[in-house]
Amino acid sequence: MTRVWQNWEGRFRSRPKHWHEPSTIDEVVAIVQSASKEQPVKVVGAGHSWSDIALPHVHLVTLQRMNRVLSVDHELHQVAVEAGISIHELNTQLAELGLGLSNQGSVNAQSIAGAISTGTHGTGPTFGGMATQVVSLKLVTATGDVLTVSPEENAELWDAVRVGLGALGIVVEVTLQCEPAFCLHSLEQPVPFDMMTQNIQEYAYGAEHCKIWWFPHTEYSHVWQFNRKPLEHLPARWKHWLWWWTDDFLGQRVSNVLLWLLSFVPFLTPAFNRFFRRVSYKRAERTARSNDIFNFPVHIRHPEMEYAIPLEKAGEALQELKRLVEEQRFVVNFIVEIRFVRSDDIWLSPAYQRNSCYIGVMMYKRKHAQEEYFRACEELFLRYGGRPHWGKIHSLAASQLASLYPKYDDFVRLHRKLDPERIFFNDYLHRVLEQGDEPTTKSDAPS
Ligand SMILES: Cc1cc2nc3c(=O)[nH]c(=O)nc-3n(C[C@H](O)[C@H](O)[C@H](O)COP(=O)(O)OP(=O)(O)OC[C@H]3O[C@@H](n4cnc5c(N)ncnc54)[C@H](O)[C@@H]3O)c2cc1C
């Protein structure tokens, strides 16, 4: 019987004909060489994308057996790892080596290659997305060649492959820039929505890392600000576990049941949001190891859309989002998440050449209401020049994406050169990269 692959949310599933778990680069090369246009190969990470970007059709490749730390440079604070390592495993091993990731997303189940390939980000207006932490990587291309790509080697591929959408080849090794292990002090506090949106840049730049949740149907947001502290401030482990249990059990598992009950009586949602915010979200402080602050448990299976908009437009866009919810009478049972990312030069990074505010919208169950809400939010984000997170839900196709990414045509041209037979393609990549025509605009992609 063929095995079933499905993504975290459970929205996408397939039964790929061949399931490969290579443990060496040579095995990856052999798999790629057995693939063809009719028998495409899809490398998957942890399936933690909400979009169908990782949906495999014929050959599924998972690098979960390629999960070792290969070498460490203690002077430069760099580690070389096999690309299938999960961020959780990576954090554990980095802690033993006295190192830490400078920034990361809110969960740690993703593989490092999957995370960088979709432009996964944490928060902090002076920190880039995770792909900016990559120093070099090793790529198996459609021809079975193994290329080292860095600003020095195969440099013409560098700005494309880091957020490569899984389209340019299989990343088998990654070298990451880390920093000496550190703690983060977290200060969280409720802030009136209007005050937050009017001063959003002050909040963003007021700490090394800042994230904000807005509770729809309330006048309040909740602002977290994190700053580095030396490792000496590491609290006793039991304190961490107590916090984790409270957040995991009360914050997630109890909320999950409440949200499920609420989905039968959606008209109670606004009152519930107001009550829940008031009792659960108060001023609090905590210090812990960096990844214990960056990450938090997420068990509530929900769909998510996230767009990066120019930072200077963030306050206005959020005020419009609040008006949209009120005027269209959307019943929104889940938070809006607001995070900040520094600009970079990676062609398909949503933060390409602009400091960005990522706005994430979510909804629990209620499929029809969710689709209407997301459609309206997407229209709003696009009016602000928003670029979608590749691993989250969006409805954009090639022609729209081309107008949002100055280097889109260069990426497509490079992709066609590296994978002319489209052996790494799936339906998602067909939708976002195929315009039918050859790219016609300016290019500095390698010819
Ligand atoms: C609960 C949850 C929380 C999340 N939190 C955040 C967050 O805080 N910030 C954020 O930005 N995103 C977040 N995400 C989105 C998630 O980080 C991305 O979608 C990420 O790509 C998932 O990594 P993965 O290993 O599961 O990759 P998959 O979803 O399995 O694959 C994603 C893409 O990467 C490609 N890929 C995987 N491995 C390789 C490889 N070795 N070589 C080349 N391509 C490869 C795949 O082909 C596919 O195109 C979250 C998702 C979930 C479900």
Side-chain angles (χ1 to χ4, degrees):
M1 209 174 71
T2 47
R3 281 162 75 177
V4 176
W5 176 91
Q6 68 171 30
N7 71 333
W8 178 84
E9 189 206 347
R11 181 180 298 237
F12 298 108
R13 57 175 64 200
S14 70
R15 285 178 188 275
K17 240 163 122 181
H18 309 283
W19 195 291
H20 306 274
E21 295 182 6
S23 51
T24 63
I25 295 179
D26 285 346
E27 286 173 29
V28 175
V29 170
I31 296 160
V32 168
Q33 286 174 335
S34 73
S36 63
K37 187 176 186 168
E38 294 71 34
Q39 306 262 305
V41 58
K42 178 94 312 245
V43 57
V44 299
H48 266 54
S49 295
W50 275 277
S51 64
D52 51 337
I53 189 168
L55 188 67
H57 297 305
V58 181
H59 289 281
L60 173 152
V61 180
T62 164
L63 302 190
Q64 64 194 24
R65 292 171 66 197
M66 295 177 68
N67 62 353
R68 290 172 305 155
V69 171
L70 298 170
S71 63
V72 190
D73 184 327
H74 283 286
E75 218 163 281
L76 294 175
H77 311 306
Q78 293 177 354
V79 287
V81 298
E82 289 182 308
I85 194 167
S86 73
I87 294 170
H88 171 69
E89 292 168 297
L90 178 60
N91 281 331
T92 307
Q93 299 208 34
L94 287 180
E96 285 165 16
L97 295 166
L99 296 172
L101 289 174
S102 297
N103 204 2
Q104 55 189 289
S106 43
V107 298
N108 57 17
Q110 308 95 318
S111 64
I112 191 67
I116 64 173
S117 298
T118 57
T120 292
H121 61 90
T123 189
T126 59
F127 293 82
M130 294 191 75
T132 65
Q133 295 162 19
V134 178
V135 175
S136 70
L137 54 78
K138 231 176 231 179
L139 184 76
V140 175
T141 66
T143 49
D145 291 314
V146 184
L147 304 180
T148 298
V149 186
S150 73
E152 289 79 37
E153 274 183 88
N154 295 300
E156 70 281 9
L157 308 183
W158 179 237
D159 285 332
V161 293
R162 283 177 291 164
V163 179
L165 315 187
L168 303 180
I170 299 185
V171 177
V172 285
E173 285 177 18
V174 184
T175 300
L176 293 160
Q177 182 64 54
C178 304
E179 60 180 282
F182 58 101
C183 283
L184 283 172
H185 169 257
S186 161
L187 168 66
E188 56 179 288
Q189 54 191 330
V191 174
F193 179 85
D194 286 342
M195 188 190 288
M196 180 274 286
T197 50
Q198 283 158 16
N199 302 289
I200 193 159
Q201 298 215 35
E202 281 75 16
Y203 284 107
Y205 284 101
E208 290 169 348
H209 306 272
C210 170
K211 86 172 175 193
I212 303 174
W213 286 2
W214 171 53
F215 303 86
H217 312 294
T218 81
E219 296 301 320
Y220 272 88
S221 62
H222 201 71
V223 177
W224 282 260
Q225 291 181 307
F226 311 149
N227 283 302
R228 276 164 181 63
K229 274 197 163 184
L231 217 49
E232 294 85 82
H233 292 84
L234 202 59
R237 201 64 193 154
W238 67 264
K239 283 195 185 164
H240 168 66
W241 287 120
L242 183 66
W243 172 84
W244 187 264
W245 184 84
T246 315
D247 221 50
D248 190 275
F249 181 72
L250 296 176
Q252 290 284 320
R253 303 200 189 268
V254 173
S255 306
N256 204 1
V257 174
L258 292 175
L259 280 171
W260 177 73
L261 291 171
L262 200 62
S263 67
F264 297 103
V265 279
F267 66 92
L268 292 179
T269 299
F272 175 79
N273 284 12
R274 287 190 284 273
F275 168 77
F276 192 66
R277 186 209 68 79
R278 211 172 41 246
V279 297
S280 308
Y281 290 90
K282 309 220 180 299
R283 189 182 193 283
E285 289 186 65
R286 189 166 81 90
T287 299
R289 187 178 281 280
S290 55
N291 50 295
D292 290 336
I293 296 280
F294 286 135
N295 300 152
F296 64 94
V298 180
H299 302 302
I300 303 172
R301 307 268 155 168
H302 63 277
E304 192 164 322
M305 164 186 281
E306 192 180 40
Y307 268 71
I309 63 169
L311 176 56
E312 63 278 8
K313 295 185 181 167
E316 194 187 328
L318 285 162
Q319 282 160 4
E320 196 176 329
L321 178 60
K322 184 161 179 282
R323 279 200 299 280
L324 179 88
V325 171
E326 286 161 3
E327 286 165 12
Q328 306 272 328
R329 295 176 183 274
F330 287 119
V331 173
V332 185
N333 56 16
F334 224 109
I335 54 152
V336 171
E337 187 169 45
I338 301 146
R339 291 181 283 181
F340 307 94
V341 176
R342 193 199 65 214
S343 74
D344 60 48
D345 286 321
I346 305 173
W347 290 354
L348 291 192
S349 160
Y352 178 76
Q353 292 197 343
R354 66 187 201 198
N355 291 328
S356 298
C357 172
Y358 279 74
I359 305 178
V361 293
M362 310 158 207
M363 176 87 94
Y364 177 79
K365 300 233 183 246
R366 308 190 57 244
K367 190 166 181 298
H368 182 62
Q370 173 251 305
E371 283 169 1
E372 283 186 8
Y373 174 52
F374 279 21
R375 202 175 307 124
C377 291
E378 188 167 54
E379 277 173 27
L380 187 157
F381 297 145
L382 288 171
R383 267 187 278 118
Y384 284 87
R387 295 175 182 150
H389 187 310
W390 298 104
K392 302 196 179 183
I393 294 169
H394 69 87
S395 73
L396 303 197
S399 55
Q400 293 149 296
L401 290 160
S403 67
L404 292 173
Y405 286 90
K407 291 290 190 179
Y408 175 89
D409 280 350
D410 293 327
F411 186 93
V412 171
R413 192 174 284 104
L414 183 63
H415 168 251
R416 289 178 188 184
K417 180 168 173 258
L418 283 176
D419 184 17
E421 291 292 315
R422 322 276 201 271
I423 69 161
F424 295 121
F425 249 38
N426 62 3
D427 290 348
Y428 179 92
L429 290 181
H430 182 73
R431 213 162 55 240
V432 302
L433 294 180
E434 287 280 296
Q435 285 181 284
D437 298 314
E438 287 302 313
T440 51
T441 58
K442 78 236 170 281
S443 166
D444 52 16
S447 56

